[in-house]
Amino acid sequence: MRKSIRGFTIIEILVVVAVIATLAGIVFVSYGTVQKNARNADRLTQVQQWAKLFELYRAKYGTFPPVATGNYCLGTGFPLGPDGQGRCRDSVMTDPNYSYLESGNTALMTEIKKIGTIPTVNPPRVHGDLVGPYGWYDGTHLWMTQVFEGGPSDCPTPTHYSWDDGAGVVLCAFTIGN
């Protein structure tokens, strides 16, 4: 007596494919969220390291670094702008209101290096052209801004919301000093 071998119906195959596709989608979305959170955690660590360096400088010398008031890229290794120079904030603009030259931070970096190692700028860009950290410094306080992935509710403590583009980029800031 012969037994017949039964195969899978097209419906059974489609159900299995749908289940696998659903699971793959969940894994893909979860992986993307984990990666984004890891990049944002690295960015937060950078600004916390900067805050610590400025506070250590003030503790040792009794004041923040004696450099000119202005906007500064915090760190080195920023992406090159259209003029071939390293730039922070918006790396593809040359307008000094929206983009700051890394070379303009030499005096500040020299002073901060007296205290410790400059934090690495990594990952450098968020969704194209925006890059941080950067800050406005007036000798008594530093308003630091970092570029994060997310929206208005994604600014990590101790930062607070400053701006977002509505497409996944949010600027979060905090102040150290008086």
Side-chain angles (χ1 to χ4, degrees), residues 7-20:
F8 295 105
T9 66
I10 192 74
I11 300 297
E12 291 169 329
I13 292 171
L14 288 174
V15 167
V16 169
V17 168
V19 167
I20 290 171

Side-chain angles (χ1 to χ4, degrees), residues 2 14 18 21 42 50 58 65 76 78 82 85 100 109 111 113 122 126 146 166 174:
R2 253 178 131 189
L14 288 174
D42 185 46
W50 279 107
R58 182 167 65 168
T76 59
F78 287 93
Q85 297 187 61
Y100 315 135
M109 294 303 104
E111 289 298 315
K113 285 178 185 176
N122 183 30
V126 177
Q146 181 59 293
F174 73 102

